[in-house]
Amino acid sequence: VTEADPREALVAAARRLDAAGFMPTKSGNLSLRTARGFWITPSGLPYADLSAEDCVELDADGARLAGQALPSSEWRLHAAILAARPDVTAVVHTHSPFASALACARCPIPPFHYMIALAGGDTIPCADYATFGTEALARSAVAALGATLRAALLANHGVVTLGVSLRSAEALAGEVENLARQFLALRAAGLTPVQLTSAEMADVTRQFASYGRLR
Ligand SMILES: [Zn+2]
């Protein structure tokens, strides 16, 4: 195991997200694409105790390629997203509290703040409800993300973010949680957020692209 080991990167990111309160009661899971499949965090282990050896490499159909532990119960979600989205390398799934609260209302996050554009569109959608760990959930997440979005809420469950690197998927998980917190604060205060127009959001996307923020 070296610092360049992708498993070490997964473990470090999982610990940071757990420390941020995004992975209550051992929820959440992370994956990173490999040449022949993907590494994924294991099922049911406290993140504080996680080591690189606990990560599991699966192929696109979920067959074990490396590692001994039981893979995350959401491996189908990760497999389906990585298969559908060759433009991304990493998938982060969390139960971060504010984004999960909006997901429980099946409430998409509209373009009330320009940072929504980091998620690849004008709105962060909420995927249709399906039981955790199922192929149906994997399908609904893939449908909500479409060809370009990098974040979606999962109804009555949590949130999923995608990235060209594990770092970018992790950072987006933090940004979506921040936006969800702001949106809920506005609603709680009885204020109606003013939404940006699609032309304004297109300008934001161009500006981000010029800063390399979308990588
Ligand atoms: Zn979950």
Side-chain angles (χ1 to χ4, degrees):
V1 175
T2 67
E3 270 189 44
D5 190 320
R7 299 174 301 169
E8 291 286 9
L10 275 181
V11 167
R15 287 213 184 105
R16 285 190 295 269
L17 290 164
D18 187 41
F22 285 21
M23 319 284 252
T25 42
K26 298 185 276 187
S27 62
N29 27 76
L30 290 73
S31 65
L32 188 56
R33 190 191 297 281
T34 65
R36 55 186 188 168
F38 58 95
W39 287 107
I40 188 163
T41 48
S43 176
L45 290 180
Y47 289 106
D49 300 342
L50 205 63
S51 71
E53 288 75 14
D54 297 320
C55 293
V56 185
E57 189 183 16
L58 302 178
D59 73 10
D61 298 319
R64 182 188 303 272
L65 298 170
Q68 305 297 317
L70 193 64
S72 162
S73 58
E74 291 295 4
W75 69 264
R76 290 176 184 84
L77 175 71
H78 292 262
I81 292 171
L82 290 169
R85 293 291 298 272
D87 58 315
V88 303
T89 299
V91 177
V92 167
H93 165 54
T94 82
H95 292 190
S96 64
F98 292 100
S100 296
L102 285 176
C104 291
R106 304 189 186 181
C107 177
I109 309 178
F112 76 101
H113 191 296
Y114 78 85
M115 292 292 268
I116 292 284
L118 286 179
D122 288 2
T123 295
I124 297 173
C126 184
D128 291 344
Y129 180 75
T131 308
F132 81 93
T134 61
E135 192 62 42
L137 178 62
R139 277 197 303 270
S140 83
V142 164
L145 289 161
T148 54
L149 296 184
R150 289 180 290 271
L153 306 179
L154 305 177
N156 308 84
H157 184 160
V159 56
V160 64
T161 58
L162 284 52
V164 294
S165 66
L166 188 55
R167 280 285 187 179
S168 66
E170 180 189 354
L172 187 56
E175 190 52 53
V176 173
E177 180 65 358
N178 190 43
L179 289 162
R181 187 190 303 115
Q182 292 168 356
F183 188 65
L184 279 168
L186 282 161
R187 300 284 292 264
L191 296 169
T192 303
V194 176
Q195 295 188 20
L196 299 173
T197 66
S198 53
E200 286 166 336
M201 289 297 283
D203 287 341
V204 172
T205 297
R206 271 192 294 277
Q207 191 78 338
F208 274 147
S210 73
Y211 283 108
R213 249 334 263 284
L214 300 179
R215 301 303 297 168

